[in-house]
Amino acid sequence: MNSNYHLTDLALEAAQRLRGEGKGDVPGVTVNELDVQGISVTRVQVTDEGSHSIGKAPGNYITIHAPELKYRKPRYSQQVSAVVTQEMQRLLPLSPNAQVFVVGLGNWRAIADSLGPRVAAKVYVTRHLGQFLPPELAGGLRPVSSLSPGVLGITGLETTEVIHSIVRQMKPDALIAIDALAAMDVERIMTTIQIGDSGIHPGSGLGTKRLGLTRQTLGIPVIAVGVPTVVHAVTIAANTIDLLVRTMAQQVQYMRFMQPMAAINKRDLIQEVLGEAIGNLVVTPKEVDVDIEEVARVIAGGLNGALHPGIEQSEVMDYIR
Amino acid sequence: MNSNYHLTDLALEAAQRLRGEGKGDVPGVTVNELDVQGISVTRVQVTDEGSHSIGKAPGNYITIHAPELKYRKPRYSQQVSAVVTQEMQRLLPLSPNAQVFVVGLGNWRAIADSLGPRVAAKVYVTRHLGQFLPPELAGGLRPVSSLSPGVLGITGLETTEVIHSIVRQMKPDALIAIDALAAMDVERIMTTIQIGDSGIHPGSGLGTKRLGLTRQTLGIPVIAVGVPTVVHAVTIAANTIDLLVRTMAQQVQYMRFMQPMAAINKRDLIQEVLGEAIGNLVVTPKEVDVDIEEVARVIAGGLNGALHPGIEQSEVMDYIR
Amino acid sequence: MNSNYHLTDLALEAAQRLRGEGKGDVPGVTVNELDVQGISVTRVQVTDEGSHSIGKAPGNYITIHAPELKYRKPRYSQQVSAVVTQEMQRLLPLSPNAQVFVVGLGNWRAIADSLGPRVAAKVYVTRHLGQFLPPELAGGLRPVSSLSPGVLGITGLETTEVIHSIVRQMKPDALIAIDALAAMDVERIMTTIQIGDSGIHPGSGLGTKRLGLTRQTLGIPVIAVGVPTVVHAVTIAANTIDLLVRTMAQQVQYMRFMQPMAAINKRDLIQEVLGEAIGNLVVTPKEVDVDIEEVARVIAGGLNGALHPGIEQSEVMDYIR
Amino acid sequence: MNSNYHLTDLALEAAQRLRGEGKGDVPGVTVNELDVQGISVTRVQVTDEGSHSIGKAPGNYITIHAPELKYRKPRYSQQVSAVVTQEMQRLLPLSPNAQVFVVGLGNWRAIADSLGPRVAAKVYVTRHLGQFLPPELAGGLRPVSSLSPGVLGITGLETTEVIHSIVRQMKPDALIAIDALAAMDVERIMTTIQIGDSGIHPGSGLGTKRLGLTRQTLGIPVIAVGVPTVVHAVTIAANTIDLLVRTMAQQVQYMRFMQPMAAINKRDLIQEVLGEAIGNLVVTPKEVDVDIEEVARVIAGGLNGALHPGIEQSEVMDYIR
């Protein structure tokens, strides 16, 4: 999770919201959907023009929605891994010897924020093997490295600066950054994987200028893989208010009561429900530990397939560490 | 957390709700408050008569509210431990050689439910030391044992049956059971410790009869120590609706609009906001891992002080394992 | 690991030692070997007569030696799991609805002793599912429960007493106990799985009488599954001395120098090399954490196959939790 | 642990061995000892001249030997922390605002190698706090950051290159690197803390040139803090042979038998005792997990005292995270 939370981090949710608001198709935003055995794949393409309306950087955003992931069925998980592999390959064409750097963003001490470090720890790292590769795999493995730099609060270091300095030193051909996200919709928690090629743009924060992780700043392709692991409690409260107001408006014939509504301060209401810790409260499944481990395995398996052509699809999970 | 969640588990919240509903003092429910250096201690006594109104078994419920616990300041934590020691001693007078069995309830795989196992793992266990006790402590240590039996979902065993069979075998003089709770109010998460002497009464569940952990069923005093680690997401949504309706009612002069309100189905609204996983969603602080560890240390320190008179108050945290 | 370490815990090593000492076949001890794709399986049968010579309780001891387990190759691990399944089924014929209780012995805080708890946490537990079983599996799953009772040092409770009281309460049809062992030979560390049907016989300890976990004491079949995770440092030192003395004896034509050898106190030598912590020192692979996790997976997979006929051999690892 | 293990990593052991071999005082190696309440502190100074004889880079090596650390007594641990603080301040004089970078070397997946990452995770990190410091501490806290870069085998990255590139970017005023060591003598396991100012010099490895972490290569003072967490099994076997041979030589009047001894190949003997995994076997205490956690706390406490003058000695452990 980036330090500056947005109420939504998913491009698909942003596009749906715009449509939901009756704005129809948004110019510069193309949405394509396909369905693979109960797994829906939505490809959102955002041009410069669409970027402003949707509030997302221009680029491709692939959303894999796999609602049954939460049941942790081995075969289903493997299918989702295969979809990750395939979409990753679409977004990131790699030469046979391309060196790839996998970065696990987030705080491993905060369970819902530990997705990135978990994936980085599981992906099959090979950069150091060189000539010591298992012979049956030589030729089919790209040099992959991985690191989880932690977050500012536990290292005292700006994460993106750490990554920039390592990239400058080791000169990988591509960067893949994994991060936990916050969604608007609870149905997306632990069931949706977003893969994008527009990089990671940190919030502008408290007046400080933060470096992004993008092709512009790093000089190499940057793929961001994110999974909503929480919905902010604020979102739940806000959604509840919106829905209630909408419901009432439909039921009351004359809209007169909407005037007093205007006087209601939504922000104050939410503050009163959530108290002082308001920004610090998140909504997660009870067994967030088990769920997040499974999603991390699925992504690591998907990356193994995309990065190492020598590993067959049926074995990508076997190379998880 | 018990398998059957109540929207509230705190006696104090129940009492406050009744008063909040304008019912004034509830017969059979006595509430006393004191304040120790920023830590409020509320002692609620529930008689048979009060039991029904408040929805809690008759007995004593002590609520220690320590709002600054979340800052994890060592001295403050130690003060809270001292209050736990003192209140525990009030509720559970023990003979010098009384054997005490500490049970950590809950699921160590689900972070918010791992409070009990964490405390059980930290408390100073001495039952096996016998004559091998550190000489400077002999005489000042009671024989203490501890166990975390897990939950039905991970062991396949009814937790209370496991405890009953061990108690029958080893015949301790008292049982202390630690458990994570769900609160109504987010301000209570990780800041409130409830200590009660009425035992643990599992919900009636899906038609199955569950054995409680009480003085009646076990034949020894049973002290329950609980800390709210979550608020159910359902509670947040419900609280938001209630507050919004109340606020609007105040603002609108003529109450006419309350009629359509009646037609609004609160349950459906919440279902729509929270989706299918509704009962499975909890609200926690982002750093639930760190917070729960600190509360577990505070309780383990408090138990060390209460169970082992030979350990000085300034050192109770030193004997945490 | 039991609290009282034996220099060897493997029946096969005991039999080999006897033969190594030129005693040839030992009456009452039958040894059969077979080889399955690089995995050797040795079945040692000990009668009452053989029990005394070999220092093991009468019964069957199956030793699965899989030297490549340490490379953690998925397919090899699955083959070893299949052998565990098959040998387990030979030793423990079960009726279709037999209720099985899996107990993880050992201390999860001491990495080399955490094998039992790891297996118990991974095996597929079903006893509580009852009618809620996944329909495709109903009929093919036996009711399995599992528990890791910890060790005396962390609970203050005699482990075998805890198990006895739970068995008395829940009346399973068979008990499977997993434990870490100490071997004589470093080649066996993390590569050998011993399965026996003679139960677990705790050392006599410091004058205290300990209850065993056997068919006699529990009234049900007891299968012990053990893996050497360490060799005691004492064993390494003793083996070194023995080998050196033997080597020198061979090289020196006249045996005169053996007289002074007699005066050398082996125990004192070892004490001097290993110092005060002598009994507390163990030899393990550097990456004991990773190795033990893999062996635990292999055993849990093997148990899934043996206990749940509805799970196909190719999927036993998928049901590991 | 560095990837290339030396049979000893402690300067003090090297100096003692030379003296033990009857070489008396070694020119260029000064040894001073003091004793603080059962904690011995030995300061070894190695000049360029002494460097060659002792096989250590020129510099200061402080060895804190605290044999009772293994009992984990809180007050004793705090005393050892105080000694760490004091010796650290002697070796590393810092300006009030000096920025310090703490690096945890080693592999957190291999328990005995996880000391560095544990200390790095516990030390009080403040670099990011800036003006948000707790007011009572402002002025007394230096900007401290910390990172555990992992090891080549899990990241695919050369650890020292990662550190070099981060140092180049963030320009700290000093580097403190924590690492697990291998000792010659089992008595030193988990009881000895070595602090040195000569940096970290990686072995020359398999023909590859590795960058060191030294004042020369980094341009800032480098303090290395190491604790022996293992003795190589090879060392145990070799020590046993040496001692046995020495003992026998003393007992046998005529030294004739020493001739055949010469024919004994020590290396082969050890290989036979330790088998194929020989270089991979280490000797550790059974409860290495608990022991290493305690030593990590002691060092983190010591660093808190040395780096943050605003933290009183009695509270250094309180700021451990």
Side-chain angles (χ1 to χ4, degrees), chain A residues 204-226:
Chain A
S204 52
L206 301 155
T208 71
K209 265 212 173 169
R210 295 249 188 88
L211 224 52
L213 298 175
T214 63
R215 184 190 276 267
Q216 284 73 37
T217 59
L218 287 166
I220 51 172
V222 176
I223 302 293
V225 181

Side-chain angles (χ1 to χ4, degrees), chain D residues 12-69:
Chain D
L12 180 57
E13 285 191 334
Q16 285 170 339
R17 198 171 51 244
L18 289 181
R19 273 199 287 192
E21 290 169 2
K23 300 202 178 146
D25 284 356
V26 187
V29 178
T30 322
V31 179
N32 282 301
E33 292 187 48
L34 54 148
D35 196 279
V36 189
Q37 302 174 310
I39 304 162
S40 85
V41 179
T42 314
R43 298 179 185 144
V44 177
Q45 199 179 356
V46 179
T47 66
D48 286 350
E49 185 195 9
S51 172
H52 188 73
S53 346
I54 199 175
K56 291 279 156 189
N60 295 286
Y61 298 87
I62 289 160
T63 306
I64 300 166
H65 186 53
E68 290 175 40
L69 216 42

Side-chain angles (χ1 to χ4, degrees), chain B residues 146-283:
Chain B
S146 82
L147 194 83
S148 293
V151 295
L152 184 65
I154 65 175
T155 63
L157 303 170
E158 277 291 349
T159 308
T160 50
E161 283 185 30
V162 170
I163 295 167
H164 270 265
S165 61
I166 296 173
V167 166
R168 215 172 295 134
Q169 168 95 19
M170 61 169 270
K171 300 185 178 50
D173 299 301
L175 181 81
I176 298 177
I178 327 292
D179 203 0
L181 307 176
M184 287 292 287
D185 179 353
V186 292
E187 303 282 4
R188 297 214 169 271
I189 296 179
M190 307 292 183
T191 59
T192 293
I193 301 168
Q194 174 177 276
I195 308 174
D197 64 2
S198 69
I200 287 185
H201 305 262
S204 53
L206 302 154
T208 69
K209 265 214 174 166
R210 294 250 189 88
L211 223 51
L213 298 176
T214 63
R215 184 192 276 267
Q216 284 73 38
T217 59
L218 286 166
I220 51 172
V222 175
I223 302 292
V225 181
V227 173
T229 60
V230 297
V231 168
H232 289 287
V234 165
T235 307
I236 298 291
N239 288 356
T240 308
I241 294 174
D242 292 347
L243 184 62
L244 179 57
V245 168
R246 227 163 38 235
T247 308
M248 282 166 38
Q250 287 163 357
Q251 297 199 358
V252 181
Q253 294 306 326
Y254 44 98
M255 297 299 284
R256 227 181 314 167
F257 89 99
M258 286 306 282
Q259 268 171 307
M261 280 305 295
I264 291 171
N265 190 323
K266 196 164 147 186
R267 184 181 296 258
D268 285 355
L269 273 180
I270 295 176
Q271 165 83 50
E272 194 169 335
V273 172
L274 295 182
E276 257 185 69
I278 183 166
N280 218 19
L281 293 172
V282 290
V283 177

Side-chain angles (χ1 to χ4, degrees), chain A residues 101 109 121 125 127-128 145-147 149 152-158 161-162 165-166 168-170 321, chain D residues 101 109 121-122 125 127-128 145-147 149 152-158 161-162 165-166 168-170 321:
Chain A
F101 185 28
R109 292 196 184 184
V125 164
R127 180 173 178 266
H128 59 303
S145 54
S146 82
L147 193 82
L152 185 65
I154 66 175
T155 64
L157 303 170
E158 277 290 350
E161 285 185 27
V162 170
S165 61
I166 295 173
R168 215 172 296 136
Q169 167 95 19
M170 59 170 271
R321 295 181 301 171
Chain D
F101 185 28
R109 291 195 185 186
K122 287 181 196 307
V125 164
R127 181 174 178 266
H128 59 303
S145 54
S146 82
L147 194 82
L152 185 65
I154 65 175
T155 64
L157 303 170
E158 277 291 349
E161 285 184 29
V162 170
S165 61
I166 295 173
R168 213 172 297 134
Q169 167 96 20
M170 60 171 267
R321 294 179 302 170

Side-chain angles (χ1 to χ4, degrees), chain A residues 105-312:
Chain A
L105 299 176
N107 182 352
W108 50 80
R109 292 196 184 184
I111 184 83
D113 198 19
S114 66
L115 178 79
R118 282 169 193 253
V119 174
K122 287 180 197 307
V123 78
Y124 189 35
V125 164
T126 50
R127 180 173 178 266
H128 59 303
L129 296 179
Q131 71 267 43
F132 302 109
L133 278 175
E136 73 273 20
L137 288 175
L141 298 184
R142 292 199 181 86
V144 170
S145 54
S146 82
L147 193 82
S148 294
V151 294
L152 185 65
I154 66 175
T155 64
L157 303 170
E158 277 290 350
T159 307
T160 51
E161 285 185 27
V162 170
I163 295 167
H164 270 264
S165 61
I166 295 173
V167 165
R168 215 172 296 136
Q169 167 95 19
M170 59 170 271
K171 299 184 178 50
D173 299 302
L175 180 81
I176 299 177
I178 326 292
D179 202 0
L181 307 176
M184 286 293 286
D185 179 353
V186 293
E187 303 282 4
R188 297 214 169 270
I189 297 180
M190 308 291 183
T191 60
T192 293
I193 301 169
Q194 175 177 276
I195 307 175
D197 63 3
S198 68
I200 288 185
H201 305 261
S204 52
L206 301 155
T208 71
K209 265 212 173 169
R210 295 249 188 88
L211 224 52
L213 298 175
T214 63
R215 184 190 276 267
Q216 284 73 37
T217 59
L218 287 166
I220 51 172
V222 176
I223 302 293
V225 181
V227 174
T229 60
V230 297
V231 169
H232 288 288
V234 165
T235 307
I236 298 291
N239 289 356
T240 309
I241 293 174
D242 291 348
L243 185 62
L244 180 56
V245 169
R246 224 158 46 233
T247 309
M248 282 167 36
Q250 288 163 355
Q251 297 198 357
V252 181
Q253 296 303 329
Y254 43 99
M255 296 299 283
R256 223 181 317 165
F257 88 98
M258 285 306 283
Q259 268 172 307
M261 278 305 295
I264 291 172
N265 189 324
K266 195 164 148 187
R267 185 182 295 259
D268 286 355
L269 273 180
I270 295 175
Q271 165 82 52
E272 193 167 337
V273 171
L274 294 182
E276 259 186 66
I278 182 165
N280 218 19
L281 293 172
V282 291
V283 176
T284 64
K286 264 182 230 164
E287 300 206 354
V288 53
D289 334 41
V290 189
D291 292 339
I292 209 166
E293 182 69 11
E294 183 67 10
V295 181
R297 290 183 68 247
V298 165
I299 295 175
L303 291 182
N304 283 349
L307 302 182
H308 301 307
I311 301 183
E312 283 176 47

Side-chain angles (χ1 to χ4, degrees), chain C residues 229-294:
Chain C
T229 59
V230 297
V231 168
H232 288 288
V234 165
T235 307
I236 299 291
N239 289 357
T240 308
I241 294 174
D242 292 347
L243 184 63
L244 179 57
V245 169
R246 226 161 42 232
T247 308
M248 282 167 37
Q250 287 163 357
Q251 297 199 358
V252 181
Q253 295 304 328
Y254 43 100
M255 298 296 283
R256 228 182 312 167
F257 88 99
M258 286 306 283
Q259 269 173 305
M261 279 305 296
I264 290 172
N265 189 323
K266 195 164 147 185
R267 184 183 295 258
D268 285 355
L269 274 179
I270 295 175
Q271 165 82 52
E272 195 169 333
V273 171
L274 294 183
E276 258 186 67
I278 184 166
N280 219 18
L281 293 171
V282 291
V283 176
T284 63
K286 264 181 230 162
E287 299 206 355
V288 53
D289 334 40
V290 189
D291 292 340
I292 210 166
E293 181 69 10
E294 183 66 10

